Amino acid sequence: MSIATTIDLISNGRAAGSTCTPDLAAPTWTFDARPGYGPGSSMSDLIPTSAPRQGVIPEEYRTASEAELHARIEAAKATLGDRVVVLGHFYQRDEVVRHADFLGDSFQLANAALTRPDAEAIVFCGVHFMAETADVLARPEQHVILPNLAAGCSMADMADIDSVEAAWEQLELLYGTEPDADGRVPVIPVTYMNSAADLKAFCGRHGGIVCTSSNAATVLEWAFERGQRVLFFPDQHLGRNTAKAMGVTTDRMPMWNPRKPLGGNDAATLQAAQVVLWHGFCSVHRRFTVEQIEQARAADPDVVVVVHPECPMEVVDAADVAGSTDLIRKVVAAAEEPTTFAIGTEINMVNRLAAEFPQHDISCLDPVVCPCSTMYRIHPGYLAWVLEALVRGEVLNEVRVPDDIAADARVALERMLAARPRPLAPSRPLAPARPLDAGREA
């Protein structure tokens, strides 16, 4: 049963359980004209006034049944053939994922887009920064389409180019710009994939790089070879958890609050820093707690707790495994014996794993159904709308990055693509497992 169906049943009193808001049961397009990220995990996050809005789509897509929308999507894809490629993120709802040509995390999908250079259109069923990344890496003739322009990312919006440039100016005044005796510059900027294209371009201009949750450790190693310290944005938790696993102590990872001089730090603290962490976070992964892990262990002492490194440090420390969405899937797939898993990541992915691996007992650490607000805004109605427009020769919801920004962002992204992922090690041994398989094509 899909999460969308589960939400509907809970809302109508036909299934047990709870959701984080009753608005999840409302039609997605109800929220398109309103400011905000929509119902779900990010609904309380403050959205910038400049965030893209989605216009109202035609009534025929809003009133069509699920079966009709699926039939229309399949027909449009069959007509378009190799002219279009549909990319689906792990956090997308099942009703959309079923139509994806590739299913993966942000790193995998960035690579997958490169495998279809002859496709005229890349339809990215993810969020805005992912579509921007695809456009930066795509050929100039290709069109990158985001089915719902309101599918943004609250974490990505927590770091903007003006704030990052202001922070950089303060750090340059403090650190200077001259390299040390080993040729390492004072600071290297590293932005998480979950950031706008202009921040990726900033990294490209300043000798920096982009990372994903898959390759964050490899990227930090790359940065430490070239710089004395790192400015890591926008997700504090991924930066902290990755650096800690590499041996960096927390006292050398101060937080930078962009609303305060020197980020709220004194000069001595910043001089001693190895990683300066931006004050940003993922509202999906912030929901997971140590208490939830303790409850899972009380219910089954043999449970394997697997969490995403965007979770707070104390949650990652209490878990058995921390890693990217792709690593989470690989850990489940590699378990040869029936295993109880409690997983701390987005509920659509956890639900899909439970269906794909029925030999295991798989549940989400958070018992409250609360999907990613922005991923959830991509509904089959939007996908049918943009695909049928392509059949007519019309490109809707195209995401374009200005050429000057794209050029610098491409530098940082190409460095990212060259930094092959390596998983974070589990904190305690798991049951015997077969070798982890490679990413898959849906």
Side-chain angles (χ1 to χ4, degrees):
M1 183 189 306
S2 74
I3 290 301
T5 300
T6 299
I7 289 170
D8 182 65
L9 292 175
I10 291 173
S11 300
N12 290 299
R14 291 182 286 160
S18 61
T19 64
C20 55
T21 171
D23 285 346
L24 284 169
T28 308
W29 31 81
T30 302
F31 306 95
D32 285 345
R34 307 181 193 176
Y37 294 106
S41 58
S42 299
M43 57 191 166
S44 298
D45 294 339
L46 184 64
I47 192 168
T49 56
S50 59
R53 299 276 189 90
Q54 173 60 50
V56 178
I57 64 174
E59 184 179 5
E60 64 180 291
Y61 298 101
R62 292 182 278 121
T63 58
S65 68
E66 182 178 319
E68 180 185 350
L69 288 173
H70 290 319
R72 292 175 71 164
I73 292 168
E74 290 169 359
K77 286 194 68 183
T79 300
L80 292 164
D82 292 339
R83 293 167 53 201
V84 66
V85 57
V86 177
L87 307 180
H89 192 273
F90 280 134
Y91 296 167
Q92 279 297 325
R93 58 173 82 202
D94 289 347
E95 293 82 0
V96 168
V97 161
R98 65 182 287 183
H99 299 292
D101 298 303
F102 291 91
L103 173 65
D105 62 15
S106 54
F107 183 89
Q108 292 171 317
L109 295 178
N111 280 287
L114 299 176
T115 68
R116 297 291 179 88
D118 296 328
E120 297 172 16
I122 299 167
V123 178
F124 212 125
C125 296
V127 292
H128 197 271
F129 71 80
M130 297 180 186
E132 283 189 328
T133 298
D135 181 60
V136 169
L137 297 174
R139 291 185 300 105
E141 313 85 59
Q142 290 181 299
H143 303 284
V144 177
I145 294 168
L146 184 64
N148 185 338
L149 290 177
C153 174
S154 62
M155 180 210 290
D157 291 337
M158 290 175 189
D160 62 272
I161 187 62
D162 290 340
S163 297
V164 170
E165 287 182 338
W168 190 256
E169 289 176 6
Q170 294 179 67
L171 292 175
E172 281 195 332
L173 285 173
L174 178 66
Y175 296 141
T177 58
E178 293 302 313
D180 64 10
D182 296 321
R184 297 184 306 155
V185 298
V187 59
I188 293 280
V190 175
T191 189
Y192 191 19
M193 174 71 90
N194 301 36
S195 60
D198 53 8
L199 293 185
K200 296 179 174 74
F202 174 90
C203 289
R205 288 194 303 274
H206 293 280
I209 188 171
V210 180
C211 80
T212 73
S213 56
S214 298
N215 73 350
T218 306
V219 165
L220 282 187
E221 288 176 349
W222 181 95
F224 289 144
E225 289 172 358
R226 293 161 175 78
Q228 300 164 42
R229 57 185 66 80
V230 166
L231 172 63
F232 190 98
F233 51 90
D235 182 30
Q236 57 172 297
H237 298 301
L238 177 64
R240 183 181 296 109
N241 290 320
T242 306
K244 183 182 177 186
M246 297 170 65
V248 181
T249 55
T250 55
D251 62 310
R252 300 193 68 189
M253 292 189 276
M255 183 90 71
W256 184 279
N257 185 333
R259 296 179 179 84
K260 298 180 179 181
L262 288 181
N265 303 285
D266 57 43
T269 298
L270 291 172
Q271 287 285 6
Q274 193 164 357
V275 180
V276 179
L277 299 167
W278 197 264
H279 194 282
F281 55 84
C282 170
S283 290
V284 170
H285 294 103
R286 196 172 63 160
R287 293 182 58 86
F288 300 110
T289 66
V290 173
E291 290 73 23
Q292 292 168 352
I293 294 177
E294 291 172 346
Q295 291 167 8
R297 296 203 194 286
D300 184 347
D302 294 324
V303 66
V304 177
V305 178
V306 189
V307 302
H308 196 282
E310 289 176 16
C311 293
M313 180 181 67
E314 59 271 15
V315 174
V316 169
D317 288 347
D320 299 306
V321 184
S324 69
T325 47
D326 183 54
L327 178 65
I328 291 171
R329 185 186 179 279
K330 288 176 177 178
V331 167
V332 173
E336 294 182 337
E337 300 297 327
T339 305
T340 300
F341 287 101
I343 298 178
T345 195
E346 209 276 341
I347 185 65
N348 279 283
M349 178 178 174
V350 178
N351 188 66
R352 193 173 303 119
L353 287 172
E356 187 177 355
F357 300 98
Q359 70 273 29
H360 302 311
D361 181 358
I362 299 174
S363 62
C364 187
L365 265 179
D366 184 1
V368 177
V369 177
C370 194
C372 173
S373 303
T374 50
M375 289 280 186
Y376 200 65
R377 296 189 80 153
I378 301 225
H379 181 280
Y382 297 98
L383 182 55
W385 174 56
V386 298
L387 287 174
E388 291 189 336
L390 286 173
V391 171
R392 299 191 304 269
E394 184 180 359
V395 178
L396 300 174
N397 282 18
E398 184 170 13
V399 173
R400 278 289 185 192
V401 177
D403 290 345
D404 57 335
I405 294 175
D408 289 332
R410 190 174 300 112
V411 172
L413 284 166
E414 288 174 349
R415 291 170 182 156
M416 176 201 79
L417 292 171
R420 305 309 303 174
R422 67 176 178 82
L424 296 180
S427 58
R428 72 177 174 89
L430 302 179
R434 61 180 178 270
L436 300 181
D437 59 339
R440 68 190 181 97
E441 183 172 341

